[in-house]
Structure formats: C-alpha cells, structure tokens
Amino acid sequence: MSQAMSSTSVQEQPVENYLNWQKGPMSWWMSVDHKRIALMYFVSMFFFFLIGGMAALAVRLELFRAGDFFTPQTYNTLFTLHGVIMVFLFIVPGVPATLGNFLLPLMIGAKDVVFPRLNRLSYWLYVLGALVVGSCIFMGLDTGWTFYAPYSVQNRAAVILAALGAFILGFSSILTGLNFIVTTHKMRAPGLTWDRLPLFVWSLYATSLLQVIATPIVGVTLLLLILENAFGIGVFDAAKGGDPVLFEHMFWFYSHPVVYIMILPAFGIISEIVPVFSRRPIFGYKALVYASVGIAAVSFLVWGHHMFVSGMSNWARYIFSFLTFSVAIPTAIKVFNWVATMYKGSISWDTPMLYAMGFVFMFMIAGCTGVHLATLATDAHYHDTYFVVAHFHYTMQGGTVIALFAGLHYWFPKLFGRMYNEKFAKFTWLMLFIGFNGTFLPQFALGMQGMPRRYHDYPVEFEPLHAISSVFAGINGLAYVLILGHLAYSAFWGKRASGNVWNSLSLEWATPSPPPHDNFAEIPTVTEWTYGYGKAPSSEKANNPAMA
Amino acid sequence: MDNTENTSSLLDFLKGNFDQMPEQASTWAGQVDTVNNVITLISLVCTLLIVGAMLFFAIRYRRRTDNDVTSQVTHNTTMELVWTIIPTIICGFIFYVGFTTYRQMRTPPLNPLEVNVDAYKWRWEFRHDNGKKDTNLLVVPLGQAVRLIMTSHDVIHSFYIPNMRIKEDVVPDRYTYTWFTPTKVGDFHIFCTEYCGTGHSDMLATVQVVTPEQYKSYVWDRTGQSDADLSPAELGAKLFVKKTCNTCHSIDGSALVGPSLLGAYGRTRECTDGTTLVADENYLRESILNSSAKIVKGFAPAMPAFQGMLEESEVQALIAYIKTLKVDGDVQSSAPESSSATTNTKDVEK
C-alpha cells in the first residue's frame, strides 16, 4: 500500500492519464471515454464470468458421480444460468466491448470512437440487460440458453424476463457494432489506409458487421417469444398450431453468426501477438483479412448445421452440411498464417505468446472436432452429446477466452502502465492449460460413448470420465481465479512498466501507457504498415515504420 | 462395452470399432465409424503437423538476442494456394463420404417394419402395427429394417440410440422419422437428447433386439395388455413401473421429482395454495388424471396429466396399489372416512 502511495509521485507517472483524469464513481459511470467504458465492461463482464463459472463448477459437482447431488430442478437451473450468463453477459460482448473498445481508437490514431455518448449508452444498456437477465436467477429459469419452444412457453415469467434482458443486450451489441463500423471508416489517422490497418481492427470491423446485421434477427425472435409467453400468439407453440422448428431456424440464424462475433476478435488478437513476439512481419496479411471477412459472410449460410436432426428436410441437411465445410477453409488459412509467421522469427516465450500458442493448439482441436460435427453421418451420433459440449467449449473457452487472456496480458501494461509478475502469469497459464484440457478432452470420449448433454444423472458406465472432467474443472476454475486476482492486484500494485514493453509498432503504443484522456497529444501520421517487425537479413531492406 | 481387438493395420483401425464408440449394432454403424475414424485420423495428422511445426519454430527460433535477424517474407502465393487447395479437397472428400453414408440413413427401404413412437414428458410409448403397446421398451427383430414414425405430445424430444448411430428430434404436431436395421441381439440404451425439463435424464428406454421368432411371440403376446387375471393391486404395481410413475415417485419414502407414495394414502397433506387435505381415493385419482390441480407443498407442478391416457380400470388399479404402500406400524394408513371411495375400490376387487 505505502509503496503504491509513494509511487504515485510526479516523476514516475505521467501527470495525467485516463485513470486519474477525473475522480469519483460518477466520473466513471458518466464517462464517455472509450478507455473508461472498456474498463467498466471488463469489471462487469468478469464479475458475471465468475458467477457463470461458479454455476459451471456446481454443474460439474453434480456430474462428479452418478446419482443426485442437487435436485434435478436445481441442476437444470444451474446449467441454464451458466449458459445464459456466459453467452449473453460475457462472451457476446466479449472482446469487442473490452479490448476492442479500449484499443480501436488507439490503434487507428483517433481520440475516441466516433459516437462516444452512444458508446456509453451501449454500456448502460449492457448493465440494464444484465440486471434483467440476472433477476432470472431467482425465478428458476430452466430452458437452457437456447430457449427452445415449446418448452420455453411453460415457465413464462422467467422466460419473458430472460428474453427481455437478452433483447436489451442485443441493442447494446448493435450500437457497439454501429459505432465501430463508423469509427473505422471515418476516424483513421492520415495515412492509415485499409491495407495498413492492424488485423485486430479488421477483425473488429468484420465482427461489427455481424453484430449490426445478425442481432436484429434475434431481437425479433426474442420479441416473438415474449409475445408467445405473454399473450399466447401461437407462433412457436405447436399446441396452438405454431411451429417450434421455426424458432430453431430464427434462433440459429442469429446464433450461428454470433459464434463468429465471439471468435473473430479472438483471431484478431492472435494476429497482433504472433508477429510482435516473433519479431517478424505477419505472414499473409491479405489472406488473413479476406479470411475474416469471408468467415463473416459465410457464417450467415450455415445455421442449419445446428438442426441436422431437428426434423428439417433431408435436402436442407445435405446443403447445410456442404455449406458448413466452407467455413473450415478460411479458418484453416488463418492457422497456417500464424504458424508461418513464426518461421525464422525471433520468438520470445513471454506470457502473451504462450497464450497465443495455447490458442493455436486448442483451436486446432476445436476446428477438427467441428469437422466431425459438420459431417452428416457422424453428426447423427454426436449431436446433442458431450462431444458437442466439448467442441464448443474448445472454441469458446479454448479459443475466445484464451485469446482474451492473451490480449489482456499483452495489453496489460498499455491499460494500466504496470506489469504483472511474469513467473506467476506463466504458472497460471500452465494451470489453465492443464485444467481446461483435462476438463474437456474426456468429454469428447463421453460424447463418443453416447452421453447426452443436459443430463443431471447418467448411466453408471459414464462415471469415470465424468469424475476426471470434474476434477480438472476445479483446476480450471481455480486458474481463472488466480489469473484474475493476480491481474487485478497488478493493476494497482504491479511494477511500473515502460511505455512500450514489447516494442510493438502499432499506433496504440505510440502514446504513453496508460494513455492520456485524449489518447494522442497530436494525431499521428502513418507512412508504413503496422507489421514491419524484426531485422532483415543483410540482403533485405529493413522495413521500419516511421512511427516506431 | 468396448470389445475391440488391438489389430495393428491402418485399415483395421479405420474399419474398427475404434476408441470410445459404443458397440456397433446396426447395418451402417461400421460405416459411420469408418467415416468418423477417417476424420479423426486426418484431424490427428493435421493437428500434429501444425502444432508440431509451431513448437518446432518456437524452440528452433527462440529469441537469442534482441537483434535477431528474422525473415521478412510477407507472403508466398504458391504456398498460400497450396494450403488453400489441399484443405478444400480434404473438406470436399469428407463432406462427400459423410453425405453418401447419411443419405442411406435417411432412405428407408420400401417395406420396413413400422413402429409408432410417442414421446411424453418423460417416457416413450411404442406402438407396433398390430396394436401391441409398450412403454420404454422397443422390441425389434434382428435383421429387419425398422422405421420409427415419431411425434411428441408436449415439448421437443430427441430419439437417440448410440449403438445404432441414429438420432432424430421428436417434435409436437408433426411426424419425424428415423430407421435402422439391427444386426446384434441384445439390449441397448435409448436416450432423450433434446432437453425437455426435470425428467430429461430419466427419459431412458431400451431397444431390445430379438430373433424374428421371439419378436413374433412378443408382438402377439397381449397378456400384458389385458391383465385379466391380475388383482387391481398387482396390476397397479405393474402399471406403476410401466407408466414410469416410479421415475418421479419413490415407494421408500425418499422424495424424487414428486413426493414419495410410501404411506401417501390417508395422509394429511398441505398444498402449495395453503389448503390441507386428506389423501383419499378421490384425491389420488385427481392427482393422476389432472395432476396440477393440487400440488403438495415443496414440489413443483411437474407431472403431466394422464387424462385420456389411462383406462378407468387402470386408474383404480394404481390407486389400489398405492394403498398397499403402508409405513410399518403407521396407524394413519387405514382408510380415511370416505365411504364413496371405499365402495369404489371394493367394486373393483370383486
């Protein structure tokens, strides 16, 4: 404490930055500064992340042994809570609302997003939506996060409230997307042409397009679900002549693209980290850009793979399977490019790079098991089993969350002007890696054996693998607590960091860390692309941007 | 479950009942597993290559000085084309084998044996074409194509037999179908794989593959359905299991989804709306046929109404059975003062 006090003295810290620019809770709540809004998103999202995580651990506790620990009803509420919180309150706002909000203006050399007050409204809507969704905790919402009708037409009050909350959160998402699109178009610093844009900005741009185009559809769907519950309009309820499969179509028409809203920014983070820590230009910049935009476009055409066994027509199944495979190719290209970027690089094993490499490993598993699920013959066996559970946790946790933590460690000195303890960070990385893989690898085997998902109890032959999974889930959970605790501690009391710890070349590092309220004293002019890292062999010309 | 022999050749590996997959019991199970193993093998090779390359680079090119000389190559069109085209070909191939295998799984032969499947929260009813009915037990003859015509009477369920490698949602207000030809005699799990509420994980059933002769005698054995020579209580005991009352109601005093029925008859109950009542025959009848009318305090109204799904004689048999579930030495377990109800049961017992 005392050390922290003394270190706030004038000579050590820039006199003014966004953290100390104004004081008091209201200066945060009313702030239109994208950096402060990003931090508030961080705090709120990680709060819900921990609650959702506790629900997950409770779920694993129930499944540790065959037989009941909680009542079936409690279990159903717990996995619903886990899903609803993690999807709507954590991973959908996810990277764009936190790192995206903080970095987008900095990376394009702008003083803020183009509509700062709209940005604040996005956050307020997020808080409002989160409170509405959170209140379902006390109402026994037990539909799963997917709200399939007609089951969701039976627990009316809780479903109305949850759908309303998700509806509000949808607006938060749409407004953020809109803000980012216009910001990227209108606020880039002079000389920062589209082909010089950092890949993280490109990925945010592709994500924002999805947010703006896809989210209204889930808005309509949720509104219909609310009306169905409140007034029995009979759109989805078969008992009233409605079509429950229509709900699935409408739901997944949004909820498949939303998977890419979650993962595209994660790709962007990895594309930033790999070249910095390999001291080498990113390999295949254009391919990575086209892959991001390509994935965003194709993501609208593949929702049917969530419905291969839903009773949809056979030809629809065949065609959706074919289309689904087209997502695999741009995704594979990205992985090849990251690995190629490491070739003949100068690779440091700092924590962000360890996270990035962990990401590549886990995302390979996620991608390959996705092929099992895109294939019709095997999906018939795997659909709605633990194979699917393991697959999407590999994409969402092994992919997005790991990338978010990669980015958080990479940009941590940017955010707070302080450093975490490198050794402890590496230790917790290893713990997370072991905990995560130990939790979800056995679940692939469970799925192969035929263990259905959302079961509070199971035939005893599934017990050994469930037990292993539960034990590692504990390690996984503890790792998150340690990582977040450590980062929170370091944000206040970590060692002071230099302005550009990693010698990065992108614009966000061309201003002090933590950045001043206005980001840049003077808007920079860009003359080179962002990725001119490393030192050329004597024959090649060094490629150093002017802003370095 | 896993009775794989450890054969060594790659072909055997691809054909085999590899790793964790359940025993193959339908005509296409082997083919599905082959598709699965091909994908798994390609995945393993790709993952090992990519992750191997990454680790190799991370070690081989680990930073030595802050001024290491690094490659400045930013792209390589030939290489990028190669790693676009090869995955495209692999994906096309996997789609094709998955598609052709699945197409036969969606194309039943002309004259299959047809069984109607009715899904309820939380049980499966199977009706064979001669009217033979069974709950949570699907008996099918070995080697004959069986087509299941399925519908749900409440929410969406999903019909899954791991050993047959089939799964299809069961949707209210429409028929969906699936089919298979069993190739092994034995009992296999049927799971519900679409979340359907409190009893979702109890919605288990068994598919029993028997010889065609056994199937014939099963289908024409209607004694289970007439039950003429059983006493009401005996019939009730059978119905209690057959209609899956036992999924939610114990007979040993432990509370499951619903209250235990041990000593339920004649007991004074407090309901969720604050009223108290004595559980007599009329109450039990109402609780079976219109179950949400009066809910015992501490429980959720989770039980489906059995109105129209039980014969009156079956309701009476169930009540007669519940009456036999007495707590030892429980004075309360004698009949309550409800003359009409008592008369009813006596009529049945005649």
Side-chain angles (χ1 to χ4, degrees):
Chain A
M1 256 314 227
S2 59
Q3 197 190 351
M5 292 301 221
S6 66
S7 63
T8 22
S9 58
V10 197
Q11 69 270 31
E12 274 192 328
Q13 193 177 10
V15 177
E16 180 227 278
N17 63 47
Y18 79 100
L19 291 167
N20 61 14
W21 182 63
Q22 281 178 328
K23 288 203 161 43
M26 281 317 278
S27 76
W28 284 83
W29 179 248
M30 297 303 291
S31 176
V32 292
D33 181 353
H34 67 101
K35 301 180 287 301
R36 287 192 159 203
I37 292 172
L39 277 200
M40 289 192 286
Y41 264 119
F42 261 124
V43 171
S44 343
M45 269 175 44
F46 279 127
F47 171 74
F48 288 112
F49 179 67
L50 290 175
I51 294 183
M54 280 190 276
L57 288 180
V59 161
R60 287 313 319 169
L61 183 65
E62 164 72 46
L63 296 171
F64 181 61
R65 279 287 167 81
D68 281 348
F69 186 87
F70 299 109
T71 64
Q73 195 55 42
T74 310
Y75 176 81
N76 293 341
T77 313
L78 281 170
F79 82 69
T80 301
L81 265 184
H82 171 65
V84 167
I85 288 179
M86 288 303 199
V87 172
F88 293 112
L89 301 186
F90 177 69
I91 211 154
V92 170
V95 176
T98 53
L99 287 174
N101 234 327
F102 195 97
L103 293 165
L104 175 65
L106 285 165
M107 286 180 118
I108 61 172
K111 285 181 188 281
D112 205 320
V113 292
V114 70
F115 307 123
R117 277 188 290 188
L118 194 67
N119 200 20
R120 181 177 63 183
L121 181 64
S122 287
Y123 178 68
W124 287 354
L125 285 175
Y126 169 80
V127 173
L128 178 66
L131 289 176
V132 175
V133 169
S135 59
C136 303
I137 294 173
F138 308 103
M139 300 187 65
L141 181 73
D142 70 339
T143 57
W145 76 276
T146 46
F147 302 122
Y148 270 19
Y151 187 77
S152 58
V153 186
Q154 300 184 348
N155 188 351
R156 303 202 157 167
V159 172
I160 290 177
L161 216 56
L164 190 66
F167 183 78
I168 297 168
L169 290 166
F171 274 93
S172 165
S173 195
I174 293 170
L175 296 181
T176 302
L178 192 69
N179 217 338
F180 283 11
I181 291 173
V182 183
T183 304
T184 313
H185 274 276
K186 305 304 279 185
M187 303 286 282
R188 281 171 290 126
L192 187 57
T193 50
W194 286 93
D195 55 357
R196 287 174 181 165
L197 218 51
L199 286 158
F200 184 57
V201 175
W202 265 113
S203 73
L204 285 174
Y205 184 74
T207 307
S208 303
L209 288 177
L210 289 181
Q211 283 177 319
V212 170
I213 299 170
T215 317
I217 294 149
V218 80
V220 171
T221 314
L222 292 170
L223 211 55
L224 284 173
L225 186 65
I226 292 170
L227 292 175
E228 180 82 63
N229 271 296
F231 305 112
I233 56 171
V235 174
F236 302 131
D237 189 356
K240 297 193 175 72
D243 185 354
V245 180
L246 175 67
F247 178 84
E248 295 180 39
H249 277 293
M250 294 183 74
F251 182 81
W252 289 114
F253 189 81
Y254 161 77
S255 296
H256 194 75
V258 90
V259 171
Y260 297 98
I261 291 179
M262 300 167 190
I263 197 72
L264 277 174
F267 291 161
I269 292 173
I270 303 303
S271 299
E272 293 302 320
I273 289 176
V274 173
V276 172
F277 290 84
S278 303
R279 306 310 305 166
R280 193 192 173 295
I282 185 87
F283 188 92
Y285 173 88
K286 276 193 178 154
L288 284 163
V289 170
Y290 290 140
S292 283
V293 179
I295 289 170
V298 175
S299 74
F300 280 103
L301 307 174
V302 300
W303 81 90
H305 67 228
H306 296 269
M307 301 171 60
F308 281 159
V309 302
S310 68
M312 182 167 76
S313 87
N314 289 334
W315 273 100
R317 299 175 201 208
Y318 307 151
I319 290 164
F320 274 122
S321 170
F322 181 79
L323 289 170
T324 299
F325 276 95
S326 59
V327 183
I329 292 135
T331 316
I333 289 170
K334 281 186 173 271
V335 176
F336 297 141
N337 280 310
W338 294 324
V339 175
T341 303
M342 292 168 69
Y343 175 66
K344 289 195 176 171
S346 165
I347 298 161
S348 85
W349 290 20
D350 291 321
T351 312
M353 189 61 182
L354 291 182
Y355 271 100
M357 289 196 279
F359 172 92
V360 170
F361 172 70
M362 290 185 265
F363 198 74
M364 278 305 291
I365 295 177
C368 288
T369 52
V371 174
H372 290 82
L373 296 170
T375 307
L376 285 164
T378 42
D379 182 72
H381 179 59
Y382 288 137
H383 208 97
D384 274 329
T385 66
Y386 266 73
F387 196 91
V388 175
V389 176
H391 162 73
F392 70 69
H393 279 91
Y394 262 91
T395 61
M396 295 294 99
Q397 197 188 148
T400 306
V401 180
I402 294 294
L404 174 64
F405 278 96
L408 198 52
H409 283 87
Y410 170 51
W411 281 296
F412 190 84
K414 184 78 239 167
L415 262 62
F416 301 106
R418 292 176 186 272
M419 268 307 274
Y420 47 84
N421 181 310
E422 179 71 15
K423 271 189 186 151
F424 192 77
K426 278 181 176 152
F427 166 73
T428 46
W429 167 81
L430 186 66
M431 195 170 157
L432 182 60
F433 187 80
I434 293 169
F436 172 77
N437 287 293
T439 307
F440 291 102
L441 277 178
Q443 294 188 6
F444 284 120
L446 278 171
M448 288 183 174
Q449 292 176 3
M451 168 78 204
R453 58 191 286 214
R454 296 179 167 177
Y455 267 31
H456 68 85
D457 194 9
Y458 47 80
V460 75
E461 67 250 34
F462 298 125
E463 196 169 58
L465 286 170
H466 269 305
I468 295 172
S469 181
S470 288
V471 169
F472 280 96
I475 299 173
N476 195 7
L478 184 60
Y480 279 125
V481 172
L482 290 178
I483 293 168
L484 288 175
H486 173 220
L487 290 182
Y489 173 86
S490 307
F492 290 98
W493 300 292
K495 263 200 207 128
R496 295 223 163 265
S498 63
N500 189 352
V501 182
W502 318 108
N503 296 313
S504 310
L505 299 180
S506 41
L507 276 182
E508 79 271 23
W509 298 98
T511 182
S513 306
H517 172 67
D518 284 332
N519 292 355
F520 299 94
E522 197 180 322
I523 297 296
T525 301
V526 181
T527 56
E528 289 285 346
W529 79 327
T530 318
Y531 296 102
Y533 289 104
K535 204 169 146 197
S538 49
S539 58
E540 282 181 62
K541 199 185 140 220
N543 193 8
N544 286 323
M547 69 231 183
Chain B
M1 267 231 157
D2 198 358
N3 51 5
T4 334
E5 284 115 49
N6 275 332
T7 40
S8 51
S9 90
L10 182 66
L11 201 65
D12 286 342
F13 164 78
L14 289 178
K15 280 183 183 166
N17 192 359
F18 146 76
D19 56 43
Q20 304 290 321
M21 295 295 251
E23 187 188 354
Q24 300 167 349
S26 66
T27 41
W28 53 59
Q31 201 177 333
V32 170
D33 287 3
T34 304
V35 174
N36 181 61
N37 296 346
V38 167
I39 303 171
T40 308
L41 187 72
I42 293 172
S43 301
L44 281 175
V45 171
C46 292
T47 308
L48 285 179
L49 282 177
I50 295 289
V51 176
M54 181 182 76
L55 289 179
F56 175 74
F57 294 161
I59 294 164
R60 169 70 181 74
Y61 302 114
R62 189 165 181 183
R63 188 170 301 170
R64 285 170 184 82
T65 67
D66 283 345
N67 293 310
D68 283 350
V69 170
T70 58
S71 163
Q72 295 294 301
V73 178
T74 57
H75 63 280
N76 180 326
T77 312
T78 319
M79 195 146 84
E80 291 181 66
L81 276 177
V82 167
W83 73 39
T84 308
I85 292 167
I86 289 179
T88 308
I89 293 170
I90 294 175
C91 282
F93 166 72
I94 295 176
F95 162 75
Y96 182 74
V97 293
F99 161 65
T100 48
T101 307
Y102 190 66
R103 201 165 55 168
Q104 48 160 325
M105 296 165 75
R106 296 303 298 162
T107 316
L110 270 179
N111 291 305
L113 183 76
E114 295 199 323
V115 180
N116 278 87
V117 180
D118 292 80
Y120 296 87
K121 287 197 307 190
W122 293 284
R123 67 182 196 282
W124 300 97
E125 300 277 2
F126 300 101
R127 198 150 30 85
H128 298 256
D129 52 3
N130 70 341
K132 168 80 176 182
K133 282 202 261 182
D134 222 329
T135 302
N136 289 346
L137 177 67
L138 170 62
V139 179
V140 291
L142 182 72
Q144 189 169 343
V146 183
R147 180 168 185 256
L148 304 173
I149 304 157
M150 309 190 289
T151 192
S152 165
H153 292 254
D154 35 55
V155 300
I156 299 176
H157 302 275
S158 190
F159 183 89
Y160 175 35
I161 310 178
N163 298 80
M164 310 294 173
R165 312 285 190 271
I166 56 161
K167 184 180 290 121
E168 186 73 16
D169 282 5
V170 183
V171 183
D173 206 25
R174 72 167 65 175
Y175 295 117
T176 58
Y177 73 91
T178 184
W179 78 282
F180 62 100
T181 306
T183 55
K184 270 212 177 73
V185 169
D187 288 2
F188 306 100
H189 285 304
I190 295 171
F191 292 120
C192 175
T193 44
E194 190 63 71
Y195 173 69
C196 56
T198 318
H200 174 50
S201 26
D202 307 317
M203 200 165 157
L204 309 179
T206 302
V207 54
Q208 192 168 70
V209 182
V210 297
T211 62
E213 298 74 40
Q214 286 170 319
Y215 177 72
K216 207 166 267 177
S217 57
Y218 164 80
V219 163
W220 292 106
D221 172 16
R222 312 290 296 278
T223 49
Q225 272 160 297
S226 60
D227 288 311
D229 45 351
L230 294 175
S231 76
E234 283 172 328
L235 176 60
K238 284 181 77 174
L239 286 169
F240 191 75
V241 176
K242 206 170 148 190
K243 298 290 176 187
T244 66
C245 313
N246 59 343
T247 309
C248 303
H249 297 285
S250 80
I251 55 169
D252 62 1
S254 57
L256 303 176
V257 177
S260 174
L261 297 181
L262 180 68
Y265 179 67
R267 177 174 291 179
T268 307
R269 291 285 201 189
E270 195 181 352
C271 293
T272 43
D273 61 1
T275 57
T276 52
L277 54 83
V278 175
D280 59 6
E281 284 86 350
N282 279 320
Y283 168 72
L284 290 177
R285 185 176 191 282
E286 183 187 50
S287 296
I288 294 169
L289 295 179
N290 182 16
S291 27
S292 57
K294 290 171 188 130
I295 303 296
V296 174
K297 200 171 180 180
F299 292 91
M303 178 168 157
F306 279 80
Q307 186 80 56
M309 295 193 294
L310 291 172
E311 305 288 344
E312 178 58 30
S313 61
E314 294 179 312
V315 178
Q316 291 174 0
L318 279 168
I319 294 171
Y321 171 64
I322 292 168
K323 283 166 131 182
T324 66
L325 304 170
K326 289 177 191 159
V327 184
D328 287 340
D330 186 352
V331 261
Q332 268 269 304
S333 62
S334 57
E337 301 302 310
S338 170
S339 55
S340 63
T342 325
T343 335
N344 266 345
T345 358
K346 272 183 183 154
D347 286 344
V348 177
E349 276 165 355
K350 261 191 253 175

